[in-house]
């Protein structure tokens, strides 16, 4: 037994799509989530800046006495590739497990959707090619998806238009597997599926569940706490966070200073 929480972070609220899945799949675990809303988005920032922000957040999580840390942000994961620990605490990122999960679908081509930072890094393409040199990888930056999700502008004709603009090639080429390479994108999964039809969507939450199980860390005690901390608070984010986490009930969001 180890009732210490699991730490999770993202640039904003998108990582709550991961927290929600982990909270459901690990009902005895406590979690501390940090959304760096004050500095969102990360997807258009340089690797150096993302690393600086990421290290500050991982230190914050370490101070919360977490037993493992999950980078629920693909843009940040690209700068921690291959790093299994942060200052002695197990560290998970989404890229390598996401690439493996996509390959398990067995299609000849995989599309990777991500922020500009994730696509520019080619982290998914290189990881997939290392594991399977024959697989074709098509990378598509979708920078408008994050602001749509953070603003709660989803499931309408605006999202349909943006999805069509970014995913026309995926549809025309009948690509069978699509990695949602940004933790904001699962919010758009139904809209993406509506446009693409029958497709395998790989989402970070499920991928990280498997990865966390494989760590075999001692499990929690049963009475758990889920804390959501953010670096800036507005009514809008509070409302959106509660909507994203429903039916899981959240206490008030905690404003923290890094
Ligand atoms: N949710 C983050 C990701 O998975 C990125 C959002 C952002 O651009 O800050 O990449």
């Amino acid at each position: 037994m180890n009732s210490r929480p699991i730490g999770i972070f993202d640039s904003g609220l998108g990582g709550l799509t991961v927290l929600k899945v982990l909270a459901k799949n690990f009902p005895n675990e406590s979690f501390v989530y940090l959304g760096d809303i004050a500095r969102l988005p990360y997807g258009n920032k340089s690797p150096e800046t993302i690393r600086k922000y990421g290290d500050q957040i991982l230190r914050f999580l370490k101070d919360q006495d977490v037993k493992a840390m999950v980078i629920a942000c693909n843009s940040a994961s690209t700068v921690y590739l291959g790093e299994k620990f942060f200052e002695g605490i197990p560290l998970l990122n989404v890229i390598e497990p996401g690439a493996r999960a996509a390959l398990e679908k067995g299609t000849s081509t995989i599309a990777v959707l991500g922020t500009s930072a994730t696509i520019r890094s080619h982290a998914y393409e290189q990881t997939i090619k290392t594991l399977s040199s024959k697989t074709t990888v098509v990378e598509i930056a979708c920078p408008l998806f994050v602001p749509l999700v953070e603003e709660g502008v989803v499931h309408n004709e605006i999202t349909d238009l943006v999805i069509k603009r970014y995913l026309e090639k995926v549809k025309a080429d009948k690509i069978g597997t699509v990695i949602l390479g940004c933790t904001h994108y699962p919010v758009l999964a139904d809209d993406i599926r509506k446009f693409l039809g029958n497709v395998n969507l790989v989402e970070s939450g499920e991928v990280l569940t498997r990865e966390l199980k494989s760590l075999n860390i001692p499990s929690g005690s049963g009475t758990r706490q889920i804390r959501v901390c953010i670096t800036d608070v507005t009514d809008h984010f509070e409302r959106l966070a509660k909507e994203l986490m429903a039916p899981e009930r959240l206490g008030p969001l905690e404003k923290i200073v890094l």
Side-chain angles (χ1 to χ4, degrees):
M1 290 282 236
N2 183 340
S3 55
R4 288 156 69 206
I6 295 167
I8 304 186
F9 90 83
D10 180 40
S11 56
L13 295 181
L16 291 177
T17 61
V18 172
L19 175 60
K20 184 174 176 170
V21 174
L22 295 184
K24 181 166 147 269
N25 292 341
F26 296 91
N28 294 327
E29 297 295 345
S30 292
F31 294 91
V32 184
Y33 178 91
L34 180 86
D36 193 7
I37 280 160
R39 300 186 293 197
L40 174 95
Y42 282 12
N44 60 8
K45 300 210 164 50
S46 66
E48 295 73 29
T49 299
I50 296 174
R51 178 79 198 203
K52 187 173 92 186
Y53 294 172
D55 282 0
Q56 285 172 351
I57 294 170
L58 292 174
R59 276 191 203 107
F60 165 80
L61 292 176
K62 190 179 175 203
D63 290 345
Q64 310 312 303
D65 196 27
V66 296
K67 61 184 169 190
M69 297 170 171
V70 176
I71 308 179
C73 174
N74 290 257
S75 311
S77 288
T78 64
V79 302
Y80 289 91
L81 269 191
E83 298 184 35
K84 303 285 179 219
F85 292 91
F86 181 81
E87 298 182 359
I89 299 175
L91 179 67
L92 296 185
N93 87 64
V94 288
I95 309 283
E96 289 129 348
R100 282 199 301 275
L103 281 167
E104 281 167 17
K105 306 293 181 196
T107 59
S108 57
T109 306
I110 294 172
V112 180
L113 314 184
T115 64
S116 302
T118 298
I119 298 307
R120 201 180 47 222
S121 75
H122 301 298
Y124 274 111
E125 182 179 30
Q126 284 161 7
T127 308
I128 291 169
K129 289 284 188 191
T130 309
L131 296 167
S132 162
S133 57
K134 289 203 185 80
T135 303
T136 305
V137 181
V138 175
E139 299 179 292
I140 304 169
C142 308
L144 289 176
F145 282 175
V146 169
L148 288 174
V149 170
E150 290 282 332
E151 289 302 321
V153 182
V154 293
H155 318 316
N156 61 26
E157 65 284 4
I158 301 173
T159 26
D160 287 347
L161 262 180
V162 178
I163 287 170
K164 180 169 185 293
R165 163 91 192 256
Y166 287 143
L167 302 190
E168 229 150 21
K169 181 176 166 53
V170 177
K171 186 173 175 141
D173 293 355
K174 298 192 173 55
I175 298 177
T177 302
V178 174
I179 298 180
L180 299 184
C182 171
T183 50
H184 284 71
Y185 299 177
V187 177
L188 299 171
D190 287 346
D191 309 76
I192 292 174
R193 231 183 258 287
K194 189 174 83 185
F195 179 69
L196 291 179
N198 193 16
V199 66
N200 300 305
L201 294 185
V202 177
E203 299 186 21
S204 303
E206 292 303 336
V207 157
L208 283 165
T209 296
R210 277 170 51 178
E211 202 64 8
L212 204 49
K213 283 190 177 150
S214 75
L215 280 186
N216 284 325
I217 42 174
S219 60
S221 61
T223 39
R224 71 154 169 207
Q225 205 193 2
I226 297 181
R227 291 172 56 202
V228 174
C229 307
I230 49 180
T231 50
D232 199 6
V233 182
T234 67
D235 289 348
H236 164 73
F237 284 123
E238 187 111 32
R239 212 173 36 249
L240 199 58
K242 288 188 171 148
E243 271 170 37
L244 285 176
M245 285 299 287
E248 189 73 50
R249 289 160 73 92
L250 283 187
L253 305 196
E254 297 172 42
K255 162 109 192 271
I256 62 110
V257 177
L258 288 171

